[in-house]
Amino acid sequence: MGDKFIYFDHAATTAAKKEVVEAMIPYYSEKYGNASSIYSVGRESKKAIEEARDRVAKALGAQSKEIFFTGSGTEADNWAIKGVAYANKGKGNHIITTSIEHHAVLHTCHYLESDGFEVTYLPVDDNGLVTAEQVREAIKPNTILITIMYANNEIGTIQPIAEIGKVAREKGVYFHTDAVQAVGNIPINVNELNVDLLSLSAHKFYGPKGIGALYVKKGTKITSFMHGGAQERGRRASTENVPHIVGLGKAIELAANNMEANNQKLLGLRERTIEEIQKRIPFVKLNGDRHKRLPGNVNFSFEFIEGESLLLMLDMKGIAASSGSACTSGSLDPSHVLLAIGLPHEIAHGSLRVTFGEENTNEDVDYLMEVLPMIVERLREMSPLYERVKSSAK
């Protein structure tokens, strides 16, 4: 591979920032007290947790007591959906979601279906968007929860969350958004969005892995996630992961402070990459909405090639990117998101997701554009179908 390494997979995970790691370190070996203890080293841990909670609340426009720490974004999604479903089953058993949710949401909904709940999976348009009107039409007298992701992890499309939230509020239905890809990447205010629950994960914005949070609007009827101790106000028993909670608090604060400048930069890299790929490589399709998308997300399908081969050849050139989402990279099936936006199997298989981060530069894009067209052409030369298309074009 040589010495060159360029990371273009920030939607999968990010490196914990130096300042984040430095904030966490004391809580491993110096300030190691159990936050439930009353002596000073325990009180120190408790104070650090509450400071982190305040930071998360401030970044979301929420109240501190509405923030609950979890072990991940997946846990937060599970808790939000199952917690509301079981707490409100006396009122109804119908849940509304979309066909392009992360598997943390889809698989949770499938589980609830096996336990007597009814789920409507709304279709999306060819850009991956649903409308507030679609949601309104899907609501029934027994609807208790709407769960729709803020921004898609694969194609970057941003949903009209505030409009959907308005409909949910009018109809008196709880509304959860999986905002794992959005928090730390675009400005968020839970009150303006009209959401009752919102999931986030630290490792998507330069925080540690294994820590997330769930915003639960005051008054939301939800069951506890785990039973045992009185941690997280009795909602999630388990000794708190103090270092990671501190890391999440620091990471979200840094992300909020740097967001505007960082987004301008990411937008520039995104736009340039999209234009260059469309200009230099034939038989490509941009996946996701051209403008209503995350600032750092580029997702293309390349006809006549396999995404996996493309990733392996990019890796040999020192470039880390992805095809579909990281959670399904072990699967040979094409992405459910790309199929949902109407791509045929063979084109969905040839997708490339490039997601930019703070450390990426214009020089990184130059290098990508130097190697990507050559790799695509080389892979296409192995395809008999591409040969036929080239021959007929001549």
Side-chain angles (χ1 to χ4, degrees):
M1 184 175 95
D3 296 331
K4 190 175 272 295
F5 176 71
I6 298 172
Y7 187 72
F8 283 144
D9 203 16
H10 294 82
T13 197
T14 56
K17 280 189 173 169
K18 185 167 169 268
E19 304 96 309
V20 171
V21 175
E22 283 170 359
M24 291 166 65
I25 284 171
Y27 294 92
Y28 283 109
S29 53
E30 295 161 39
K31 304 177 181 183
Y32 54 83
N34 186 317
S36 299
S37 307
I38 60 168
Y39 40 73
S40 59
V41 73
R43 292 199 307 271
E44 218 166 29
S45 291
K46 183 74 176 166
K47 183 169 178 274
I49 289 170
E50 294 315 315
E51 282 172 3
R53 202 185 306 278
D54 290 344
R55 286 172 170 178
V56 176
K58 188 181 173 191
L60 301 178
Q63 295 176 43
S64 292
K65 60 186 175 189
E66 297 174 314
I67 304 301
F68 296 86
F69 293 113
T70 65
S72 62
T74 293
E75 183 188 306
D77 284 341
N78 270 260
W79 182 12
I81 298 165
K82 291 176 190 166
V84 168
Y86 288 123
N88 295 277
K89 64 181 177 185
K91 200 176 142 194
N93 70 335
H94 181 233
I95 297 165
I96 298 167
T97 188
T98 78
S99 56
I100 64 163
E101 298 297 307
H102 189 277
H103 284 119
V105 168
L106 291 179
H107 289 174
T108 304
C109 287
H110 294 159
Y111 167 78
L112 287 173
E113 282 181 295
S114 74
D115 199 23
F117 287 86
E118 180 196 347
V119 183
T120 297
Y121 300 90
L122 296 175
V124 294
D125 68 12
D126 57 5
N127 286 322
L129 286 163
V130 288
T131 65
E133 205 42 50
Q134 273 178 280
V135 175
R136 185 189 296 280
E137 286 168 12
I139 293 173
K140 303 197 273 193
N142 63 332
T143 305
I144 51 172
L145 175 68
I146 297 160
T147 175
I148 293 175
M149 71 192 333
Y150 198 125
N152 187 266
N153 49 306
E154 292 188 39
I155 59 175
T157 295
I158 296 171
Q159 301 293 350
I161 294 298
E163 289 87 340
I164 294 167
K166 200 163 170 243
V167 169
R169 195 74 26 110
E170 281 168 22
K171 298 286 187 179
V173 177
Y174 285 126
F175 181 32
H176 164 250
T177 187
D178 169 358
V180 166
Q181 291 293 333
V183 172
N185 291 306
I186 51 178
I188 283 177
N189 182 297
V190 289
N191 299 304
E192 288 170 11
L193 293 173
N194 304 305
V195 295
D196 300 296
L197 306 107
L198 178 146
S199 306
L200 62 92
S201 181
H203 78 104
K204 304 295 186 181
F205 48 87
Y206 304 93
K209 294 172 182 65
I211 186 75
L214 180 65
Y215 157 77
V216 183
K217 186 179 169 69
K218 190 183 168 198
T220 300
K221 201 174 167 195
I222 184 170
T223 60
S224 296
F225 181 72
M226 281 201 286
H227 303 92
Q231 293 90 353
E232 293 304 283
R233 297 189 291 295
R235 295 282 184 87
R236 186 193 184 272
S238 185
T239 301
E240 299 94 340
N241 185 344
V242 183
H244 283 212
I245 288 170
V246 168
L248 166 55
K250 185 66 177 173
I252 205 164
E253 183 180 65
L254 292 171
N257 292 345
N258 302 332
M259 195 173 289
E260 206 172 317
N262 189 43
N263 280 358
Q264 282 305 111
K265 180 189 157 185
L266 295 185
L267 211 51
L269 297 174
R270 182 192 89 185
E271 290 303 292
R272 191 171 155 231
T273 305
I274 289 172
E275 284 160 20
E276 291 291 331
I277 288 176
Q278 288 175 330
K279 190 167 74 183
R280 297 182 190 212
I281 306 174
F283 305 110
V284 295
K285 182 191 180 298
L286 177 69
N287 298 316
D289 193 275
R290 181 69 179 81
H291 303 291
K292 293 175 192 160
R293 71 189 300 134
L294 290 169
N297 176 289
V298 175
N299 187 309
F300 273 97
S301 285
F302 298 85
E303 290 187 56
F304 316 112
I305 62 170
E306 283 283 329
E308 196 174 344
S309 309
L310 182 57
L311 294 188
L312 290 169
M313 292 185 81
L314 283 169
D315 186 40
M316 286 164 72
K317 294 288 186 182
I319 293 173
S322 79
S323 182
S325 66
C327 302
T328 56
S329 57
S331 164
L332 292 174
D333 295 328
S335 149
H336 71 285
V337 175
L338 298 182
L339 295 179
I341 63 172
L343 294 191
H345 271 244
E346 65 277 11
I347 295 177
H349 263 302
S351 73
L352 174 70
R353 182 185 71 177
V354 170
T355 44
F356 297 107
E358 289 179 24
E359 73 276 17
N360 290 133
T361 63
N362 270 309
E363 288 71 34
D364 293 344
V365 175
D366 290 341
Y367 183 64
L368 176 68
M369 295 324 304
E370 185 187 313
V371 302
L372 182 63
M374 290 190 299
I375 290 172
V376 169
E377 188 57 32
R378 191 171 154 201
L379 288 170
R380 281 176 173 171
E381 279 167 5
M382 301 175 195
S383 163
L385 194 58
Y386 182 57
E387 283 307 309
R388 284 204 293 276
V389 169
K390 263 187 15 178
S391 302
S392 62
K394 284 175 190 170

